[in-house]
């Protein structure tokens, strides 16, 4: 399946792009991260400290073990700093 | 029935007009507004850049406002949050609540701020002459959510 993957804040800067289409067989968000990290150093670096990464699937916050079945959009970002 | 007003914008907003809008209900006895501004703590801040997640931002703010309207008896809830490049002193955001009595208005405004801080997809970057730094989230902000559970 193909999902649109979005990156925000310093994750976007480290990876060097804001969004991309990713074709994957990953079952969960965590599996997708493993695939992305294996691609290139910039991905590996961006995901090296997972305590600093949050995730949303289809614009809803989820844990990393969330399933990807039927998901169209996955976003990775640091902890939010609104207000 | 609570009137929800959720705005995500690059533009500044009129605090007085927003407060007046919340006062409009005939049985509104209390209006609380909170405004967040760009502060320059260390000196030398040139700009604050605020990034957000279009689509999810509006959803998250609407969800937070609906939760507040469920927990307290409110005639109005306003949440306005800016993004883009803001100068020191600029308004970043506001929350406003209107109710019959002050306790609900104060508590709901506090609830909205606590959730907005760490559950709405905004990220701040401070730009100085020496470079730029992403603002780190604070453990206190995450811990603040516990008192509402």
């Amino acid at each position: 399946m193909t999902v649109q993957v979005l990156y925000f804040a310093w994750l976007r800067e480290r990876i060097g792009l804001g969004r991309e289409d990713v074709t994957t067989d990953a079952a969960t968000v965590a599996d997708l991260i493993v695939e992305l990290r294996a691609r290139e150093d910039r991905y590996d670096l961006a995901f090296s400290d997972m305590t600093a990464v949050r995730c949303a699937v289809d614009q809803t916050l989820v844990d990393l073990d969330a399933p990807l079945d039927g998901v169209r959009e996955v976003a990775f970002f640091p902890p939010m700093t609104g207000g | 029935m609570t009137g929800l007003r959720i705005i995500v914008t690059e533009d500044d907003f009129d605090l007085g007009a927003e407060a007046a809008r919340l006062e409009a209900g005939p049985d509104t006895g209390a209006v609380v507004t909170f405004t967040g501004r760009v502060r320059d703590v260390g000196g030398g801040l040139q700009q604050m850049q605020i990034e957000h997640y279009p689509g999810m931002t509006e959803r998250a703010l609407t969800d937070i406002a609906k939760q507040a309207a469920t927990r307290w008896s409110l005639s109005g809830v306003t949440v306005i949050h800016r993004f883009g490049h803001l100068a020191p002193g600029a308004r970043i955001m506001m929350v406003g609540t209107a109710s019959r009595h002050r306790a609900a208005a104060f508590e709901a405004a506090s609830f909205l701020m606590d959730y907005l801080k760490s559950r709405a997809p905004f990220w701040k970057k401070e730009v100085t002459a020496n470079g730029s730094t992403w603002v780190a989230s604070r453990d206190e902000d995450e811990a603040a959510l516990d008192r509402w559970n």
Side-chain angles (χ1 to χ4, degrees), chain A residues 20-34:
Chain A
E20 61 181 328
D21 288 333
V22 175
T23 301
T24 178
D25 295 320
T28 66
V29 171
D31 294 342
L32 176 63
I33 293 169
V34 170

Side-chain angles (χ1 to χ4, degrees), chain A:
Chain A
M1 66 175 178
T2 299
V3 292
Q4 184 162 72
V5 181
L6 286 73
Y7 310 101
F8 292 97
W10 54 257
L11 273 135
R12 171 178 54 72
E13 291 178 341
R14 285 187 194 173
I15 291 169
L17 75 171
R19 63 176 62 208
E20 61 181 328
D21 288 333
V22 175
T23 301
T24 178
D25 295 320
T28 66
V29 171
D31 294 342
L32 176 63
I33 293 169
V34 170
E35 286 186 10
L36 291 171
R37 291 189 70 172
R39 281 178 158 189
E40 286 178 54
D41 283 351
R42 57 195 170 113
Y43 290 93
D44 194 36
L45 180 66
F47 290 106
S48 58
D49 177 10
M50 286 307 298
T51 64
V53 177
R54 301 288 179 271
C55 176
V57 297
D58 290 336
Q59 303 187 356
T60 299
L61 281 174
V62 295
D63 293 327
L64 296 181
D65 58 0
L68 283 184
D69 189 33
V71 165
R72 287 173 299 179
E73 187 172 292
V74 180
F76 295 108
F77 41 79
M80 294 161 274
T81 53

Side-chain angles (χ1 to χ4, degrees), chain A residues 6-10 12-13 19 54 56 58-61 73-75 77-83, chain B residues 51-56 59 81 92-93 116-125 134-137:
Chain A
L6 286 73
Y7 310 101
F8 292 97
W10 54 257
R12 171 178 54 72
E13 291 178 341
R19 63 176 62 208
R54 301 288 179 271
D58 290 336
Q59 303 187 356
T60 299
L61 281 174
E73 187 172 292
V74 180
F77 41 79
M80 294 161 274
T81 53
Chain B
E51 181 172 334
H52 79 117
Y53 182 172
M56 180 173 168
R59 285 172 62 152
H81 205 301
I92 300 173
M93 52 76 62
L116 196 147
K117 276 268 172 196
S118 44
R119 291 292 182 274
F122 290 98
W123 302 275
K124 296 194 187 106
K125 188 184 205 180
W134 288 100
V135 175
S137 64

Side-chain angles (χ1 to χ4, degrees), chain B residues 68-80:
Chain B
T70 303
R71 293 178 72 135
W72 291 277
S73 176
L74 304 170
S75 51
V77 174
T78 297
V79 180
I80 301 176

